[in-house]
Amino acid sequence: MKTTFVNQEVIAGIGNCYSDEICFEASIKPVRKFPELESSEFQALFHGMKTVFHRAIEAGGYMDNPLFKNDQKTGGYDKQCRVYDREGEPCFRCQSTLVKEMVSSRKMFYCPNCQR
């Protein structure tokens, strides 16, 4: 799923961070393939997208640079990430240690206990 999510021809706007966060919200491991998913897992992904994007919009998104001078909101979602860039930290749900792997030359963060 990771490589499909970050493909801008499939769904624009989902990059490394959001793809990992969406999969965490849906309790699905990012290396799973879409044809393997059950109907309930697709519903969980859709709900995960809505939840993550709502949080990200409220927090100013996941961007490195401010949009304008004295912009204090842009990039605020970085501090709210549940898995992205949190390798070795405890999972918010189960306290297991979060893992980082590489998939198609991209960083992937997930909880090996919560995401199957």
Side-chain angles (χ1 to χ4, degrees), residues 18-32:
Y18 294 135
S19 66
D20 289 351
E21 294 296 307
I22 290 166
C23 288
F24 178 76
E25 191 67 34
S27 298
I28 298 172
K29 191 172 180 179
V31 293
R32 301 237 347 249

Side-chain angles (χ1 to χ4, degrees), residues 2-116:
K2 173 87 172 176
T3 55
T4 302
F5 270 144
V6 298
N7 181 343
Q8 299 301 293
E9 293 179 5
V10 175
I11 302 175
I14 298 179
N16 281 339
C17 173
Y18 294 135
S19 66
D20 289 351
E21 294 296 307
I22 290 166
C23 288
F24 178 76
E25 191 67 34
S27 298
I28 298 172
K29 191 172 180 179
V31 293
R32 301 237 347 249
K33 307 262 188 256
F34 279 103
E36 301 171 357
L37 301 180
E38 303 287 328
S39 176
S40 61
E41 291 173 310
F42 279 110
Q43 291 173 352
L45 279 174
F46 180 69
H47 175 73
M49 284 178 172
K50 292 191 313 184
T51 301
V52 167
F53 286 141
H54 179 73
R55 278 189 209 132
I57 289 167
E58 290 295 314
Y62 185 86
M63 295 174 59
D64 293 330
N65 300 317
L67 293 176
F68 53 88
K69 186 178 179 178
N70 298 323
D71 178 4
Q72 299 296 311
K73 187 170 183 175
T74 300
Y77 186 67
D78 181 38
K79 295 177 189 89
Q80 295 184 20
C81 288
R82 308 278 166 101
V83 291
Y84 190 75
D85 250 352
R86 295 192 53 237
E87 176 187 21
E89 294 181 31
C91 173
F92 280 96
R93 283 191 206 127
C94 72
Q95 303 305 306
S96 292
T97 302
L98 298 177
V99 174
K100 172 186 168 185
E101 291 182 11
M102 297 298 286
V103 168
S104 299
S105 301
R106 295 181 182 271
K107 297 184 292 185
M108 174 183 73
F109 299 88
Y110 67 96
C111 174
N113 186 56
C114 290
Q115 295 174 261
R116 302 194 180 247

